[in-house]
Amino acid sequence: MTRPGDLLNSVDLGIDVKLRASGLGKNNAYTKRLNRQTVLGLLRRDPAQSRAELARVTRLSPQSVSNIIGDLEQAGLIEPAGKGYGGKGQPATNYRIIAERGYGIGLHLDRDFVRATLIDFAFEPRARLRSALATASAKGVQAALGRLIDKLIVKAGISPDLVWGIGIASPSLRDERVIDTESLEGSLWSALHSYEIDRRLAHEKGLPVIVENDANAGALAEATFGKAQGLRDFCYLFLAHGFGAGIVHDGALFQANAGEIGRLQIVHEGNAVLL
């Protein structure tokens, strides 16, 4: 079945684009998706904007903006949101995101628990759950995540057909050049990487699944929603199962393990504990 979300991809749904002084590209398929993501990002921040306003902010031509608006409206992702008055000529039509048109699920795996959040297409949280992760096997993790996803959808009160994808933030080194991953990570996290839980969970649920290092995912979240909005370069430190860092350079996530600091040994109640 074709979903409205098939019009989009990770470019459209990811980090809010930072507009460059030279404007946006207009020629190839990538820049077309980038332009579409930019329009969606602007509509998320200000839910009622006209084509003229969007063209002015993005520096795209009025025809390019009209084409993007037409595609998104035809896919059922945006809708008219009344008229804008006060200017010259006919009142302009404003547009807004249709928040309930599609949903995404985010899962955060840690040592003993998993957090789950379901967001709508406007990136607003609709349901949250937290569950213990009482398993020592990759297969057990997959089963636990499958059950939690089902419970989250029920709690949100939506149809499973409206969920477009799943993202997993996990303490994992996703670097094929690292040959001693198991010695650097706990055995479970190393096993999950070899197990290809993203592929298996995608097959089980019939949805695209993306796994990202938790520090990188945190940096992406800060750049999109948090204190780092508008920053071109920053480093996000993340202390959980290990000590890592996500790096954003020139407005884009540096997708490698360059910020991975490693495991830390601390003394807790007289005993050495490896974080």
Side-chain angles (χ1 to χ4, degrees):
M1 180 181 66
T2 301
R3 302 168 184 264
D6 292 341
L7 177 66
L8 309 175
N9 64 8
S10 59
V11 174
D12 299 292
L13 298 175
I15 188 171
D16 281 347
V17 69
K18 311 299 187 293
L19 303 182
R20 298 178 182 274
S22 59
L24 299 174
K26 307 174 181 65
N27 296 322
N28 56 43
Y30 176 83
T31 51
K32 181 178 180 180
R33 295 195 301 268
L34 183 61
N35 294 343
R36 186 164 59 216
Q37 187 267 343
T38 301
V39 170
L40 286 171
L42 290 170
L43 289 176
R44 286 190 180 99
R45 288 195 291 269
D46 185 352
Q49 297 189 68
S50 68
R51 300 185 189 205
E53 290 172 326
L54 292 168
R56 176 180 57 80
V57 174
T58 62
R59 301 185 185 180
L60 293 169
S61 69
Q63 185 59 55
S64 295
V65 171
S66 291
N67 291 341
I68 293 170
I69 291 295
D71 288 344
L72 295 175
E73 191 172 15
Q74 185 176 8
L77 302 175
I78 64 173
E79 64 183 357
K83 301 285 187 177
Y85 296 91
K88 297 180 179 179
Q90 294 294 323
T93 300
N94 293 327
Y95 292 89
R96 65 184 174 199
I97 297 280
I98 302 177
E100 65 277 9
R101 197 66 175 98
Y103 301 85
I105 291 175
L107 304 171
H108 176 209
L109 286 173
D110 212 320
R111 187 197 302 263
D112 301 313
F113 66 90
V114 56
R115 292 190 183 96
T117 303
L118 184 144
I119 63 170
D120 60 29
F121 190 52
F123 289 178
E124 292 295 329
R126 293 294 189 97
R128 290 188 174 96
L129 286 174
R130 173 178 168 138
S131 176
L133 194 62
T135 180
S137 71
K139 187 174 182 180
V141 171
Q142 180 188 344
L145 294 184
R147 291 191 297 268
L148 191 61
I149 289 168
D150 293 340
K151 290 179 182 178
L152 188 68
I153 293 173
V154 170
K155 182 177 180 180
I158 65 169
S159 169
D161 291 337
L162 292 176
V163 178
W164 292 347
I166 300 167
I168 301 176
S170 168
S172 59
L173 286 172
R174 299 182 63 81
D175 191 337
E176 302 297 336
R177 295 168 295 180
V178 177
I179 60 176
D180 56 346
T181 302
E182 189 166 348
S183 67
L184 296 174
E185 300 179 341
S187 59
L188 175 59
W189 312 113
S190 177
L192 280 175
H193 179 65
S194 302
Y195 184 72
E196 296 183 322
I197 193 170
D198 45 355
R199 179 181 62 81
R200 294 174 185 268
L201 194 60
H203 178 74
E204 175 189 340
K205 296 301 182 183
L207 293 168
V209 177
I210 298 173
V211 178
E212 182 56 84
N213 175 270
D214 49 11
N216 287 345
L220 183 64
E222 283 296 327
T224 307
F225 308 107
K227 299 294 186 181
Q229 292 183 71
L231 294 182
R232 301 293 302 173
D233 303 277
F234 69 92
C235 182
Y236 172 87
L237 299 181
F238 186 78
L239 179 60
H241 185 80
F243 188 23
I247 299 171
V248 170
H249 174 61
D250 196 23
L253 180 66
F254 190 77
Q255 293 182 307
N257 293 116
E260 190 68 23
I261 298 170
R263 309 290 296 283
L264 299 177
Q265 183 171 323
I266 65 171
V267 177
H268 176 64
E269 297 181 349
N271 298 314
V273 179
L274 187 64
L275 290 179

